[in-house]
Amino acid sequence: MTSTTQAVANETAPPWHALAAEQVLAQLACDPASGLSAAEVARRRAQGGANTLPEPPRRSALLIIARQFQSPLIYILFAAAMLAVALSHYGDAVVILLVVLANALIGAFQEGRAERSMASLRQLSALRVRVLRGGQEASVEARELVAGDVLLLAAGDAIGADARLIEQAQLQVAEAALTGESVPVSKATLALPEATGLADRHNMVFSGTHATAGRARAVVVAIGSQTEVGRIAGLTETATEPKTPLEQRIEQFGRWLVVAALGLFVTVVVLGLYRDLPLAEVLMVAISQMVSMVPEGLPVAMTIALAVGMQRMAARGAIIRRLSAVETLGSTTVICTDKTGTLTRNEMTVSQLWLPGGITVAVSGIGYAPEGRLNADHAGTLPLLQAAVLCNDAQLLPPGEARAQWSVLGDPTEGALIVLAAKAGIDLEQLTRDAPREVELPFDSDTKMMATRHRFADAPRRVFIKGAPEALLCLCATSDAAVVQAARTAAEAMAGRALRVLAFAVVDDDPLDAGTGFCALAGRVRLLGLVGQIDPPREEVKAAVAECRAAGIRPVMVTGDHKLTGLAIARELGIAREGDRAVDGAELERMGEADLRNDLDRIAVFARVHPAQKLRIVEALQARGEVVAMTGDGVNDAPALARADVGIAMGITGTEVAKSAAKIIVTDDNFSTIVGAVEQGRVVYGNLKKVILYLFATSMAAVLVLILALLGGYPLPLVAVQILWINIVTEGTLTVNLVMDPPDGDEMRRAPVPRDDPLLGHEMLARVALMTPLIAGITFGWFWWRLGQEVPIGLVRTETFTLLAMCAWFNVLNCQSASRSALALGVLKNPWLLGGLGLSLLLQALVLYAPPMNTLFHTVPLAPASLLPLAALASSVLWAEELRKLIARLARGRAP
């Protein structure tokens, strides 16, 4: 059957894991002893295509750049530039267009995340694999595989396509990247029920995983987009990335500004013509005021604010792949986090022993470092520890040039047993020399046990057995029925506390050989005890979870581990509270959308979920209005990472697929680092709000001054180029530096920023209502008073121009905090802002005292003595806001 026919047949036929190996071979017309012939491979490839993922069309650089101009703010600036050109004000037009172009280039640089994600997925097919073709073993590129190829697998081999096992010997496969399972999975060849979930299909191997132990033969049943990785690629490609909260607010703000700016333009033109002012002068002032309404410094300030946040996060272990993710973190309301390695150490640790007689031994210390202690004085402890070391294939590796810390080579579960013995003071090398291994029965997924025979110098041969309690206890002598029942009860209790339980037993003086099965040992086995292991939570995570709760963020565990294990860890860390529950993939599959959304508040753990379900969880949370951060490290996480408001990949254990689909990479795989990134996201958003307040209050004050002059029948208080100077230079030298403000310290005691939070909320509008009339009143009042003294209009305009700039300097200090005094904060809190103030003052001095600048900006030099009353008058902007802050603090019961 060809691969094309096979794909069609699969729609109605039982899935491959539900078929016997002989049936699979028959359907695929494949001989397991010789594989496919070269001619048959060529024919199937011609019909089924290469084992690659489809490449979506790439967007051109010009298209990416063109997309950056799709903003109402940009439309206004383009219109202003064209009008400036029409009026022969080329300098003004050039300044406006340079701002637009710089913003577009910065935005284009951030594009292309989806293309990178798909490119990483396609890299999975660039592997080389061993196959059987024409009776000969061959090494080929994975992209050349076809349905029916016979794969030859051994420890360390990468798997290049989905395949059904037809032979295997102690095969174990690391599937964490696909299923989230934290330990290698033992494989078998028997057929399984059709309803078996992906993580439990032990007779299948999947593209993107790799063998860790044993050997096998498997026949390829799916290639390219038909593989599990291919389906994930399809989900990732179709998962639409939502706009960030900031992008939504900027878009809304821009639409409002379009209407306001056009209204202002018409108002100024009508008033100017009513006053019989020259049309060219009126149009240029109207353009200047329209530009003044548009905070064209905001996109640049926003980009810099996000970049600063990115640098601060990088210093704390979070690498930002897309700048907008910095701000989105500040709005996060739910963090969906993996368990293994993120909440836990990803280092299996023995925490408890159970000995016959009901003796329980606690074990201290966590991780692979042999630091800790246990009470080894009990008579049964030493034989149990000997069995743990001898019936074991792992090694304990000390720190060295290649390793910064203790680690294990081999299965993590077995490595934890070696660490246990080392904690008890056992000389591992001496013990293995004194009791060499003679025979072994390797671990088998069917029996769930392993046995080894050892020769002791001063004792008979002994056989040590290790395995799952439910399997090993069945071999114990019937005379030990009471001990066996007590062990079963103890194993159930340990499993209920999220411990992974192993049982150990011994058979004295038994001639075990390679042909002996476990059944031959039945009734002669003496139980040594139980060992309970756990992947311990990171020490700092519990405090980080509590910090999340205080900040209004709910953590949710999404794990590939078992439900009970996940729920126990979640309760210990505070993720699961009283009444919260865990749901596994099978339960989730049976839940309707309405039921899922209604139950989300009480579900703290999602366990054993597959990729499409992770995507469904994210979308269900978003449908409830949540801003979702999703962590992940595997291929299976890519669709959910792409769909989440913030996808966070793990830097240590994460696959390239996950990293490419995510917006943030956490270098230490630590949940606490994620919480720190959320805090910095809130700092960024808070600083952006400061900038918006400053820009809007100052710009509106300039607009109000002009309107008052036109309504009152006075000359224009500012010429167009002066308005542009205030708008672009005076404000520009301060906005960029204002976003560099350090944290206030209470960011994680505030609620998350709502997704629909307006850029100018009620509190900010109230502050604008104080700042704008005050600045406008001071500036226009001075202008009106000086005109009454019959001062030359050039001097009056210069003083008015300088006074407005000084008001902006004092007002930027007001915007640093909504409640704290600027005098208490001090300019030194932000040295960048201090430098910006110094630069702005220097540039203003050049405009006043440099002859070429006098000509360009229509200014005259001011006597130094005349600057003092202007500065004193401008400072009233600061004192008025200080009074408001004092009243606000007193009203909230705070000390002044």
Side-chain angles (χ1 to χ4, degrees):
M1 181 180 295
T2 67
S3 55
T4 305
T5 307
Q6 165 242 331
V8 175
N10 278 348
E11 295 179 5
T12 55
W16 297 112
H17 65 266
L19 298 175
E22 295 78 10
Q23 293 176 293
V24 174
L25 292 169
Q27 284 200 26
L28 294 172
C30 173
D31 182 355
S34 60
L36 301 175
S37 65
E40 181 64 17
V41 168
R43 188 177 69 83
R44 295 191 182 193
R45 185 179 299 117
Q47 292 186 351
N51 180 29
T52 58
L53 300 178
E55 293 195 27
R58 292 181 177 271
R59 291 180 296 172
S60 67
L62 288 177
L63 179 60
I64 292 175
I65 294 175
R67 284 168 54 89
Q68 310 309 312
F69 296 104
Q70 297 176 3
S71 165
L73 299 180
I74 302 301
Y75 301 155
I76 294 176
L77 294 176
F78 269 133
M82 287 188 290
L83 281 173
V85 170
L87 296 172
S88 301
H89 291 264
Y90 301 113
D92 298 333
V94 168
V95 170
I96 296 171
L97 290 175
L98 284 176
V99 171
V100 172
L101 180 61
N103 184 66
L105 292 176
I106 293 171
F109 183 74
Q110 301 172 21
E111 288 288 339
R113 185 181 60 85
E115 287 86 344
R116 290 192 296 271
S117 179
M118 289 302 301
S120 292
L121 279 166
R122 286 188 293 273
Q123 287 176 3
L124 290 175
S125 60
L127 305 168
R128 294 197 69 85
V129 296
R130 294 185 301 125
V131 296
L132 194 63
R133 286 182 176 172
Q136 301 293 322
E137 179 181 326
S139 175
V140 301
E141 286 190 6
R143 69 186 313 276
E144 297 179 12
L145 290 174
V146 297
D149 260 327
V150 176
L151 291 177
L152 304 177
L153 302 175
D157 285 347
I159 298 167
D162 290 2
R164 172 66 161 85
L165 290 168
I166 52 178
E167 297 177 13
Q168 71 89 26
Q170 288 81 49
L171 180 68
Q172 291 187 322
V173 179
E175 296 183 345
L178 185 64
T179 67
E181 179 63 51
S182 56
V183 295
V185 177
S186 297
K187 294 295 182 177
T189 58
L190 296 177
L192 296 169
E194 287 192 28
T196 304
L198 180 68
D200 296 318
R201 294 176 190 171
H202 299 318
N203 58 9
M204 297 284 296
V205 291
F206 301 102
S207 177
T209 64
H210 67 277
T212 60
R215 58 181 178 79
R217 287 192 182 194
V219 58
V220 173
V221 298
I223 61 172
S225 59
Q226 298 296 318
T227 64
E228 294 298 328
V229 168
R231 294 190 180 95
I232 293 170
L235 290 172
T236 304
E237 187 177 359
T238 58
T240 57
E241 181 184 337
K243 290 186 176 181
T244 70
L246 180 61
E247 288 169 338
Q248 293 173 350
R249 295 179 196 123
I250 290 290
E251 189 175 287
Q252 181 185 23
F253 188 52
R255 286 194 296 266
W256 182 86
L257 281 177
V258 167
V259 176
L262 292 176
L264 174 66
F265 180 84
V266 172
T267 301
V268 172
V269 171
V270 170
L271 289 175
L273 294 178
Y274 177 76
R275 292 276 319 283
D276 292 327
L277 296 175
L279 178 60
E281 183 180 359
V282 170
L283 285 176
M284 198 58 222
V285 171
I287 291 172
S288 301
Q289 289 292 25
M290 186 169 65
V291 172
S292 180
M293 278 285 294
V294 179
E296 65 274 352
L298 181 58
V300 176
M302 180 178 71
T303 301
I304 293 176
L306 298 175
V308 170
M310 180 182 69
Q311 292 172 351
R312 291 174 178 171
M313 289 183 188
R316 299 178 66 170
I319 306 301
I320 309 302
R321 297 187 65 254
R322 188 179 175 200
L323 291 180
S324 60
V326 178
E327 178 272 335
T328 310
L329 275 173
S331 298
T332 299
T333 59
V334 174
I335 299 178
C336 294
T337 174
D338 189 19
K339 175 183 73 69
T340 304
T342 306
L343 300 174
T344 63
R345 296 171 58 91
N346 199 20
E347 296 177 343
M348 295 301 295
T349 303
V350 176
S351 62
Q352 184 179 344
L353 309 180
W354 181 90
L355 305 176
I359 299 171
T360 299
V361 179
V363 182
S364 65
I366 58 176
Y368 293 140
E371 299 168 357
R373 56 183 301 176
L374 65 153
N375 186 352
D377 295 336
H378 296 292
T381 305
L382 182 58
L384 176 60
L385 296 177
Q386 288 179 335
V389 174
L390 296 175
C391 189
N392 197 317
D393 292 325
Q395 298 178 45
L396 181 61
L397 304 177
E401 292 184 4
R403 295 173 299 277
Q405 56 190 9
W406 288 88
S407 62
V408 298
L409 179 62
D411 185 272
T413 300
E414 292 191 331
L417 299 173
I418 300 293
V419 175
L420 168 68
K423 289 179 180 179
I426 292 179
D427 188 328
L428 305 177
E429 294 183 359
Q430 185 65 42
L431 176 60
T432 53
R433 285 197 301 267
D434 292 344
R437 181 184 298 185
E438 294 182 331
V439 179
E440 69 171 302
L441 293 180
F443 180 83
D444 183 85
S445 59
D446 294 327
T447 63
K448 298 181 180 179
M449 289 184 288
M450 171 184 179
T452 57
R453 189 184 77 195
H454 299 268
R455 184 181 71 252
F456 287 81
D458 55 352
R461 290 183 174 88
R462 294 176 187 163
V463 175
F464 291 114
I465 309 172
K466 170 186 70 182
E470 63 272 18
L472 190 149
L473 292 176
C474 294
L475 300 179
C476 292
T478 55
S479 59
D480 294 337
V483 173
V484 169
Q485 184 56 43
R488 286 197 174 101
T489 302
E492 290 175 1
M494 294 166 76
R497 296 194 299 275
L499 297 180
R500 181 170 289 155
V501 185
L502 285 175
F504 289 85
V506 64
V507 179
D508 294 315
D509 195 19
D510 190 270
L512 179 75
D513 59 48
T516 303
F518 287 102
C519 292
L521 304 177
R524 305 164 63 185
V525 172
R526 176 167 56 87
L527 183 66
L528 294 176
L530 307 174
V531 173
Q533 302 184 14
I534 194 170
D535 182 7
R538 291 178 180 264
E539 296 175 359
E540 66 277 12
V541 167
K542 190 170 185 178
V545 169
E547 192 174 8
C548 275
R549 296 281 191 185
I553 302 169
R554 185 167 75 96
V556 175
M557 182 188 294
V558 182
T559 178
D561 219 327
H562 291 283
K563 182 168 70 172
L564 290 178
T565 302
L567 187 59
I569 295 292
R571 284 173 175 161
E572 182 177 349
L573 294 174
I575 292 175
R577 293 179 167 181
E578 189 67 30
D580 286 350
R581 62 191 181 98
V583 170
D584 62 23
E587 294 172 292
L588 180 60
E589 196 69 31
R590 294 191 296 269
M591 296 177 70
E593 288 302 318
D595 293 335
L596 174 59
R597 294 179 188 179
N598 291 334
D599 292 352
L600 278 174
D601 286 339
R602 308 310 302 168
I603 300 176
V605 177
F606 290 94
R608 311 282 291 183
V609 291
H610 58 69
Q613 289 177 326
K614 292 187 177 185
L615 190 62
R616 182 186 174 196
I617 292 167
V618 171
E619 291 175 339
L621 288 166
Q622 290 173 332
R624 287 168 51 97
E626 307 285 1
V627 178
V628 182
M630 176 77 183
T631 73
D633 57 5
V635 174
N636 61 316
D637 297 320
L641 291 174
R643 182 66 179 87
D645 296 281
V646 184
I648 305 173
M650 301 296 105
I652 298 175
T653 60
T655 62
E656 287 303 313
V657 177
K659 294 175 185 176
S660 296
K663 297 175 185 173
I664 297 177
I665 299 172
V666 177
T667 59
D668 58 2
D669 291 15
N670 194 331
F671 183 79
S672 298
T673 302
I674 299 170
V675 177
V678 170
E679 178 183 13
Q680 190 57 48
R682 293 187 175 189
V683 171
V684 168
Y685 185 68
N687 286 347
L688 282 173
K689 295 275 274 191
K690 296 175 186 178
V691 170
I692 292 168
L693 173 64
Y694 170 67
L695 288 174
F696 195 71
T698 307
S699 297
M700 289 303 296
V703 170
L704 188 54
V705 168
L706 176 67
I707 298 295
L708 289 173
L710 290 174
L711 290 174
Y714 298 102
L716 293 176
L718 299 167
V719 295
V721 71
Q722 292 172 346
I723 296 173
L724 289 171
W725 176 268
I726 294 289
N727 188 236
I728 296 175
V729 179
T730 302
E731 293 179 359
T733 55
L734 301 177
T735 53
V736 169
N737 303 313
L738 186 57
V739 299
M740 306 285 285
D741 259 6
D744 293 334
D746 62 347
E747 281 79 10
M748 295 303 283
R749 293 192 295 274
R750 307 172 190 166
V753 179
R755 184 187 289 273
D756 57 353
D757 181 56
L759 291 178
L760 285 172
H762 295 300
E763 182 179 352
M764 285 182 63
L765 286 174
R767 296 183 69 190
V768 169
L770 173 64
M771 294 175 179
T772 296
L774 184 59
I775 296 173
I778 291 170
T779 305
F780 182 74
W782 180 270
F783 173 73
W784 172 80
W785 179 67
R786 292 293 280 169
L787 282 179
Q789 293 183 323
E790 298 184 356
V791 176
I793 187 63
L795 179 57
V796 174
R797 280 178 174 159
T798 302
E799 292 175 346
T800 304
F801 172 47
T802 303
L803 179 58
L804 186 59
M806 289 180 172
C807 287
W809 298 340
F810 282 106
N811 198 41
V812 77
L813 303 178
N814 290 333
C815 296
Q816 283 191 283
S817 174
S819 58
R820 299 182 184 181
S821 170
L823 303 178
L825 289 170
V827 181
L828 293 178
K829 170 192 174 185
N830 183 352
W832 294 96
L833 184 58
L834 182 62
L837 283 168
L839 177 60
S840 184
L841 193 150
L842 177 61
L843 292 174
Q844 188 69 23
L846 288 174
V847 169
L848 294 180
Y849 299 109
M853 301 291 276
N854 291 150
T855 303
L856 180 61
F857 287 93
H858 308 283
T859 57
V860 295
L862 299 179
S866 67
L867 296 176
L868 293 178
L870 292 176
L873 189 58
S875 69
S876 60
V877 174
L878 176 64
W879 306 126
E881 180 68 3
E882 285 295 306
L883 179 60
R884 186 204 63 81
K885 291 179 181 179
L886 176 61
I887 295 172
R889 290 196 300 271
L890 292 175
R892 295 175 185 173
R894 298 178 182 174

